């Protein structure tokens, strides 16, 4: 393959804490390897609409500790059409961009895979999503920070829950994956997690509430993953309220605070490693792969595998949560 002289980099889809740290790593590692860097604003939208700026090392100074993304992110409908992707390719040609590094989640890599099948452009993905739902990587950038944000919020909710002897259902993000809800439940000492991977009939929710709330505790917290399968915290709360009208039930939807904030140490380190690894991947002639981490080693995962819908959840965590919530 011809030597890559210029890369384009973009952040796409939902933002995640650590995207800036990853952008910094990609930019610096590329320049370190003799490449030019063109930052593409607003994800694929910036490719379609030609919103591009050349970055030097100083463009990414003092951003490692900031949440969000300085080059913005967006959802881009045009890119899901062949006409939109042709416009994106024309922009790449115009700016002499030889390869792309895309920072995002499932949808971003689906788009990248599609683009790579139509045009001869090497693409490397860096997994940035608070949902941790990409296959082939143990962790995604943003997940650890979001987990800490949820725990912090649940600690505060616990104070008021125990003062008023209430039962709280706290909804967390996850896009149909229960990693955030389950691990946050474990780390915050919640009574249960309602997650899409485990059937609601089997989650022993009633049993937990009966044995915990009624007999031994004066308050309870249940984390609910947002998902069509769980129906969200309000749906679960309604069900419990109708079965147990005697309980003082409250619902909290944590929402977008989970996406914000300064990235944790773990996320900054992961972002730095994976951002640099994306450039190594291009230097090594890898194309159309996501860089990930497995057992603390950097791995290259084909897009098709990364976006598969079946990242396994560790059932041992489910059993541990049940055992510890008595
Ligand atoms: P998160 O998981 O945090 O929401 P994401 O990367 O999954 O992030 P999406 O909004 O699903 O976010 O996808 C980002 C962008 O990728 C979309 O706005 C669209 O431009 C592009 N994309 C998604 N799916 C496709 C597809 N099937 N074909 C082409 N492009 C796509």
């Amino acid at each position: 393959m011809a030597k890559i002289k210029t890369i384009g980099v973009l952040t796409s889809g939902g933002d995640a804490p650590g995207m800036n740290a990853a952008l910094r790593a990609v930019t610096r590692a590329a320049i370190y390897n003799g490449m030019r860097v063109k930052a593409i604003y607003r994800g694929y939208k910036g490719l379609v609409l030609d919103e591009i700026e050349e970055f030097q090392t100083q463009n990414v100074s003092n951003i490692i500790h900031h949440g969000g993304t300085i080059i913005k992110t967006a959802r881009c409908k045009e890119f899901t059409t062949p006409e939109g992707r042709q416009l994106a390719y024309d922009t790449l040609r115009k700016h002499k961009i030889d390869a792309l590094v895309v920072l995002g989640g499932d949808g971003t890599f689906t788009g990248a895979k599609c683009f790579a099948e139509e045009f001869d452009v090497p693409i490397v993905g860096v997994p940035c999503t608070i949902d941790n739902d990409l296959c082939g990587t143990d962790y995604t950038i943003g997940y650890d920070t979001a987990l800490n944000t949820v725990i912090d919020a649940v600690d505060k909710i616990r104070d008021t829950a125990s003062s008023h002897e209430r039962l709280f259902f706290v909804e967390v993000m996850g896009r149909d994956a229960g990693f955030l809800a389950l691990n946050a439940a474990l780390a915050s000492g919640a009574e249960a997690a309602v997650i899409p991977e485990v059937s609601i009939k089997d989650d022993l929710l009633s049993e937990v509430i009966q044995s915990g709330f009624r007999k031994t505790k004066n308050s309870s917290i249940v984390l609910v993953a947002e998902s069509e399968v769980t129906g969200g915290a309000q749906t679960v709360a309604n069900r419990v309220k109708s079965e147990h009208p005697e309980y003082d039930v409250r619902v909290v939807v944590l929402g977008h605070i989970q996406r914000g904030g300064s990235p944790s140490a773990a996320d900054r380190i992961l972002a730095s490693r994976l951002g640099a690894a994306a450039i190594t991947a291009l230097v090594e002639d890898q194309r159309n792969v996501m860089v990930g981490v497995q057992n603390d080693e950097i791995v290259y995962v084909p897009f098709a595998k990364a976006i598969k819908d079946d990242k396994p959840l560790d059932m041992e965590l489910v059993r541990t949560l049940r055992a510890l919530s008595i």
Side-chain angles (χ1 to χ4, degrees):
M1 193 168 67
K3 190 172 175 317
I4 293 167
K5 294 193 189 106
T6 305
I7 63 146
V9 58
L10 58 82
T11 52
S12 163
D15 62 327
M19 266 183 166
N20 276 326
L23 172 68
R24 170 183 178 271
V26 169
T27 303
R28 298 248 166 115
I31 293 171
Y32 182 80
N33 281 279
M35 299 171 185
R36 293 173 69 188
V37 177
K38 304 257 175 120
I40 300 155
Y41 283 81
R42 296 175 185 80
Y44 294 126
K45 208 166 219 160
L47 262 191
V48 174
L49 301 177
D50 190 1
E51 294 178 12
I52 293 183
E53 179 189 350
E54 179 145 7
F55 264 23
Q56 312 297 339
T57 58
Q58 58 270 28
N59 287 99
V60 290
S61 295
N62 299 323
I63 64 167
I64 194 168
H65 56 303
H66 288 308
T69 158
I70 60 163
I71 57 172
K72 316 292 180 198
T73 183
R75 319 249 185 218
C76 176
K77 255 205 163 128
E78 298 91 320
F79 196 76
T80 62
T81 66
E83 298 77 23
R85 290 192 293 275
Q86 180 63 54
L87 287 174
Y89 182 67
D90 295 344
T91 308
L92 284 186
R93 297 277 307 263
K94 180 178 159 197
H95 289 271
K96 299 192 165 47
I97 293 171
D98 309 307
L100 270 181
V101 179
V102 296
L103 281 52
D106 190 53
T108 301
F109 298 161
T110 305
K113 179 174 170 287
C114 206
F115 193 62
E117 279 162 6
E118 290 168 348
F119 303 100
D120 184 25
V121 182
I123 311 181
V124 173
V126 179
C128 295
T129 164
I130 65 166
D131 306 333
N132 200 32
D133 59 349
L134 287 161
C135 287
T137 186
D138 293 344
Y139 298 106
T140 57
I141 297 161
Y143 170 66
D144 182 70
T145 307
L147 195 51
N148 281 290
T149 301
V150 173
I151 291 163
D152 195 42
V154 173
D155 288 348
K156 291 181 171 113
I157 291 165
R158 183 178 293 287
D159 291 343
T160 176
S162 69
S163 300
H164 284 276
E165 306 189 314
R166 281 174 175 155
L167 171 56
F168 269 84
F169 291 91
V170 182
E171 182 172 308
V172 304
M173 286 182 170
R175 271 260 216 152
D176 293 321
F179 297 97
L180 203 49
L182 178 60
N183 284 290
L186 262 179
S188 61
E191 275 58 47
V194 181
I195 54 176
E197 292 86 345
V198 179
S199 159
I200 201 155
K201 288 186 206 75
D202 302 331
D203 67 12
L204 305 182
L205 190 58
S206 295
E207 192 186 310
V208 166
I209 291 165
Q210 287 286 349
S211 65
F213 192 72
R214 183 170 278 173
K215 293 190 191 127
T216 60
K217 296 174 189 170
N218 66 4
S219 68
S220 283
I221 293 175
V222 174
L223 295 198
V224 183
E226 62 162 13
S227 153
E228 272 179 24
V229 181
T230 66
Q234 191 64 57
T235 305
V236 178
N238 290 346
R239 180 165 77 81
V240 172
K241 246 195 279 188
S242 70
E243 283 167 25
H244 299 280
E246 69 278 20
Y247 294 160
D248 192 2
V249 172
R250 292 289 186 277
V251 172
V252 175
V253 178
L254 292 184
H256 284 80
I257 64 162
Q258 294 164 91
R259 289 192 183 280
S262 181
S264 66
D267 272 333
R268 293 183 202 193
I269 293 165
L270 185 64
S272 300
R273 290 180 72 194
L274 293 184
I279 299 303
T280 307
L282 288 173
V283 169
E284 290 176 357
D285 276 355
Q286 293 283 339
R287 47 163 64 209
N288 312 328
V289 293
M290 174 192 81
V291 288
V293 67
Q294 285 176 20
N295 301 320
D296 210 30
E297 304 257 335
I298 299 287
V299 291
Y300 302 139
V301 186
F303 283 139
K305 203 171 157 205
I307 60 181
K308 267 174 51 188
D309 223 8
D310 59 352
K311 186 170 184 179
L313 191 87
D314 187 350
M315 293 310 285
E316 186 257 335
L317 297 178
V318 176
R319 290 190 291 273
T320 302
L321 180 64
R322 276 182 193 155
L324 301 188
S325 65
I326 55 171

